[in-house]
Every structure is written in structure tokens, then in C-alpha cells.
Amino acid sequence: MTGATPWTIPSVRSSLEARKISAREMTADFYARIEKRNPELNAYLTLCPERAYAQADRIDALLSRGESLPPLAGVPVAIKDVISTRGVRTTCGSRILENYFPPYDASAVERLERAGAVLLGKTNCDEFAMGSSNENSAYGPVRNPLAPERVPGGSSGGSAAAVAAGLAVAALGTDTGGSIRQPGALCGIPAMMPSYGRVSRYGLIAFASSLDRIGPLATSVRDAAAVLRAIAGRDPNDSTSAGAPVPDYQAEIEKPVKGLRIGIPQEYFAEGMDPAVRKRVEAGIGLLRSLGCQPVELRMPHTDYAIATYYIIATAEASSNLARYDGVRYGLRVPGTTLLDMYRKTRGRGFGPEVKRRIMLGTYALSAGYYDAYYLKGQKVRALIARDFRDAFSRVDAIVTPTSPVPAFRLGERTADPLQMYLADIYTVTGSLAGVPGISVPCGKTPEGLPVGLQILAPLFGEARVLQLAYAFEKAGGSNV
């Protein structure tokens, strides 16, 4: 946290119940913080005070009547701007949706508010969640609150920066190839990607439908567990959401970790990792060993193909999903002399360079004569990467790796080299392709004072194991290793 009081979900609840502060006063305090800090950070794109104060008043009314409070009562939260919010502008960081006001709430937003959370506003992100630095937003980059000349990570950079700066107690982000975990690592906060299907995608504006997931960023692992519990579970509006029972994550994290086998894959400690990151992650593994965990060396041989595989599958799905932005039904429309001219002008003006790049890559991968060579082959390699994870989890309870190969880099440092930017996701895209859950938890800092993230991955629907290890690591002082 930087300067502001580090509110947590339990401290919000205890303060409300003790009448030390009202939900309305807390909401007002967070809006004052946002007013002071957001002009520098650019973390929020849209605020919704009318909605926030109405929810705060509902919580205060429950208190005044002496009724029990819902689990997230009065907790100020931020929502990434690719998640639909009824009547609240939702831009996806793009000019093409600059004036889009969804007619409904995403299921995750609905569940958060049902649990008592107060929705402050929508956070900045890379356009359509396509990026690793939050520099692809049409509304300007987000700055890292710990080092304002550096990136916060992407694409959920606004959500990570808002939580790290104390401008929200928790936030929702989305993760397609690392977009929750990597900004969590670069901003020094816990950030969780659930299993594919654990949280409903209804209302999430799609980038790559077989990869996109909604998950929490928070000030503590316990808070991340509380938010995940609130939003997880089967949703009839999303055919890909799973019916697997949702455990009580807050109870599960208390279980001891002694005796758990943690896999250390050799492929994640190869060339290209910043030496300071390697040192901190190795110290983190040492801390887990001291807690009684048993490190096991692993080989995950298809890891080297993950970046290429991800950028074929994700761009192919993006090219299909983004075809709907044509100026006909909603969003930006630039008039043209013919229908084709209107399509061309609308998409040309509405989309930024990175989105255009990915649409072209994906369209090429799906085109006649290239489908088998690229997209089909990518899906086959994806199956091999998933098999690597299944084989690994037959030997270990969890896998531990770095989250990002480098700490937060300077704004503008990688924008001219898309490949270097893509390589920032090298340790996160594998879990995305395999569908498994993962978390980034703070793991010390570099000599320059920049946060390092430790990634913990577990088998499908093994969120409880991920959170259990992350909580033990956090409690043992992992953020200071």
C-alpha cells in the first residue's frame, strides 16, 4: 500500500459493526482518495457515485435495523472496464465503445453487489484486454503507484493500481494470458486467476472466449479468497461455467501446508529472467521449504511452445469476437459511402494499433489454407501443454514459478517491440492454456524496490490449494523475502 490506510475486508466489517464509520462515510473517503490520486495514476476511467452511495445506504440501513451484514458489506471495489455494468459506461479501453452503456450487469458484478460490495467505478485497461503493460488503452496509460514512471502491468493494470494505491479494497480483473497475475506481481498485491469455468463469464466482453476468466485482486490473500467465494459458482447464463461445488475458501486457507509437494519446473528458470527476480523467487521457494513443503524438480517439455501457441489461439478467437464491432448495432459508427466503406472507417478509427495487429494475426491464422498449419496445430500443442500440467499434478500438489520474468519496466520501454512485450507473459500463458487456477503473491523486492511476484498453480478447481499455499507464504513474511 502506498500512503493510504490499508483497509481489508475484515477491518471494513469490524469498523462498520463497531459504528466507527458508516458505509456512506467510507465510500466518501474512497472517492476523496480517488480525486486526489487518480489524476496521476489514471487507474479509473469512470466513477459511479450515485450507484455506490445507494449501495452504501442499503448497508447502513441494515446496520441501523440491527440485521446481519452480507460478507462484503460496505467494501469499496473497482471493476475492470471490460466487465459489463448496467447504466455505467463500459469502454474496454477502446474508442469504439467510448459511449457504450450496457443494459445489464455481468453475473460477477451482480454477485459482488449481492454480497454487499460498493462499486466505486470502472478501471482502465489495455484495449479489449490486449496487452501486458496497460499502455494500449485509448485513454492513456496507467502508472504504477509504487513507481509512477513505470507500468503497472496489463491488461488489468487499472485494477491492480487502484488496489495497490488504496483507491479500492479489492477489484475484479480479467486474465486471458496473465492479465490478473502479472499486474498483481508488478504492483505488489495478491492477484488470483480461477480455473476456467469457476466464475461466470456472462457480461464479460470477450477477447478470447476459451481463455478469458474473471478474478480478484486484493490487499491480502484472505481478501482475495473472500471475493472469489462471492463471485464463484455455476451460472445458467454461461454454458461454460462449472457446476463444481464452491468451497469455503477462507476456511480452507487455514489448513497447514506441511508435507505438500511443490513442483519447480526447470523450464521456468531458464535464460531471460531478471537476476533479481530469480533471487527473490528462489528465496520464496526456500521460505515454502521452511514451512514444511517438499520441492520436487519437474520437466514440462512443451513450455517453450506456449507463447506461440497462445498468440495463435488468442488472436484467432479475438478476430472472431471483435467482428461484431462494425458500426451497425452499437458503439462507434463512422459514416461511409457504402456499407463496406462504413465498416472500414469505423474499425479503422475505433480500434488501436495492438487490437488491429491481433485481429490481422488471428484472421490470417484462420484463413483458408492456413487454418491447419496454425490454428489447428495450436490447439494440438495446447493439448500437450495441458498434458504437461496433468502429468505434473500426478506428482505434486502445486507448481511454483516466477509470475513475470522482469519487474515493472519503464513506460514506453517495450512499446516499439511487440515480441518483447509478449514475452512478459512467458510464465503465465501456460496456466491459461491449461485452464488451471493460479495466483501471484508478493515475493520480496528488487534492489530498486520493485515488487516481485511468486506464482502458485494447482490442478483444475484447486483454488483452495492455491490460496492455502499463498496464505501460508504471505503469513510467513513472503512479501519481505
Side-chain angles (χ1 to χ4, degrees):
M1 297 295 292
T2 57
T5 306
W7 285 103
T8 62
I9 292 171
S11 68
V12 168
R13 188 181 192 87
S14 60
S15 295
L16 290 174
E17 290 177 333
R19 306 296 201 276
K20 291 179 181 176
I21 192 170
S22 70
R24 176 170 269 269
E25 287 167 341
M26 181 164 292
T27 303
D29 175 58
F30 273 84
Y31 276 130
R33 297 178 185 207
I34 291 166
E35 185 179 359
K36 183 179 179 182
R37 197 86 201 274
N38 197 60
E40 175 202 6
L41 298 179
N42 198 28
Y44 282 92
L45 291 178
T46 303
L47 300 176
C48 48
E50 190 175 319
R51 181 169 177 162
Y53 284 121
Q55 175 77 330
D57 290 344
R58 284 191 284 272
I59 301 302
D60 287 335
L62 290 176
L63 277 165
S64 67
R65 294 195 298 266
E67 296 180 27
S68 60
L69 295 177
L72 302 181
V75 175
V77 299
I79 308 294
K80 185 178 180 180
D81 207 30
V82 295
I83 301 172
S84 297
T85 41
R86 181 172 49 81
V88 179
R89 193 174 73 127
T90 300
T91 70
C92 292
S94 179
R95 292 290 177 203
I96 211 158
L97 289 176
E98 189 168 10
N99 295 304
Y100 174 59
F101 292 80
Y104 67 100
D105 282 325
S107 293
V109 170
E110 205 173 75
R111 291 179 180 188
L112 269 189
E113 287 195 316
R114 200 183 307 146
V118 174
L119 197 163
L120 298 172
K122 309 298 290 292
T123 52
N124 202 349
C125 57
D126 285 297
E127 187 178 4
F128 284 98
M130 298 182 191
S132 307
S133 67
N134 220 140
E135 293 171 287
N136 293 331
S137 170
Y139 306 100
V142 176
R143 292 180 179 271
N144 191 316
L146 304 178
E149 75 287 357
R150 294 176 182 267
V151 303
S155 61
S156 307
S159 290
V163 172
L167 308 185
V169 172
L172 291 187
T174 65
D175 197 308
T176 306
S179 288
I180 288 173
R181 292 160 290 159
Q182 188 247 22
L186 271 50
C187 288
I189 59 169
M192 174 93 190
M193 173 190 70
S195 303
Y196 186 81
R198 176 58 91 188
V199 176
S200 171
R201 290 186 300 113
Y202 180 72
L204 167 58
I205 297 172
F207 159 17
S209 302
S210 75
L211 294 160
D212 296 342
R213 307 182 218 175
I214 295 173
L217 301 95
T219 52
S220 70
V221 173
R222 182 178 289 281
D223 281 7
V227 174
L228 182 59
R229 178 85 193 276
I231 63 174
R234 172 78 182 140
D235 177 14
N237 289 321
D238 175 11
S239 62
T240 66
S241 70
V246 179
D248 182 348
Y249 296 123
Q250 289 147 290
E252 294 286 325
I253 63 175
E254 301 284 355
K255 291 181 178 177
V257 297
K258 188 175 181 181
L260 290 180
R261 297 159 301 164
I262 54 169
I264 315 298
Q266 293 178 25
E267 290 80 5
Y268 289 67
F269 292 84
E271 288 179 21
M273 194 193 314
D274 184 287
V277 170
R278 178 189 289 271
K279 189 175 180 181
R280 295 277 63 80
V281 171
E282 288 174 348
I285 293 167
L287 178 60
L288 287 170
R289 185 188 286 112
S290 75
L291 295 174
C293 296
Q294 300 171 9
V296 177
E297 281 201 9
L298 292 177
R299 293 303 309 270
M300 300 183 76
H302 297 97
T303 301
D304 288 349
Y305 306 108
I307 286 284
T309 301
Y310 172 81
Y311 279 98
I312 286 172
I313 293 171
T315 58
E317 294 184 11
S319 103
S320 176
N321 278 323
L322 271 62
R324 69 193 68 172
Y325 304 105
D326 54 12
V328 175
R329 287 155 294 185
Y330 54 84
L332 178 72
R333 174 184 291 190
V334 180
T337 53
T338 65
L339 183 64
L340 184 62
D341 188 44
M342 187 267 283
Y343 287 163
R344 187 182 292 116
K345 286 178 176 174
T346 297
R347 291 167 70 81
R349 189 183 301 175
F351 290 140
E354 182 60 29
V355 170
K356 290 175 182 174
R357 181 183 293 121
R358 296 195 192 198
I359 288 172
M360 288 190 287
L361 283 168
T363 304
Y364 180 79
L366 291 174
S367 60
Y370 296 98
Y371 179 94
D372 287 358
Y374 292 101
Y375 185 71
L376 185 61
K377 187 174 284 185
Q379 291 289 15
K380 289 177 178 177
V381 178
R382 181 182 191 173
L384 294 174
I385 291 167
R387 190 177 72 188
D388 282 353
F389 275 90
R390 286 196 301 276
D391 291 347
F393 289 132
S394 70
R395 297 181 55 207
V396 298
D397 300 296
I399 292 170
V400 175
T401 78
T403 307
S404 168
V406 294
F409 42 93
R410 293 182 184 279
L411 287 158
E413 189 176 308
R414 297 188 173 204
T415 48
D417 189 343
L419 184 57
Q420 277 300 106
M421 190 74 82
Y422 295 170
L423 288 171
D425 301 332
I426 194 163
Y427 302 136
T428 52
V429 295
T430 49
S432 299
L433 290 164
V436 300
I439 195 169
S440 179
V441 66
C443 180
K445 292 183 177 178
T446 68
E448 293 176 282
L450 300 172
V452 172
L454 180 83
Q455 180 176 223
I456 302 169
L457 300 156
L460 193 64
F461 302 120
E463 289 84 4
R465 176 59 44 78
V466 166
L467 289 161
Q468 176 193 3
L469 278 161
Y471 179 69
F473 183 81
E474 178 185 77
K475 202 172 165 186
S479 60
N480 294 312
V481 294

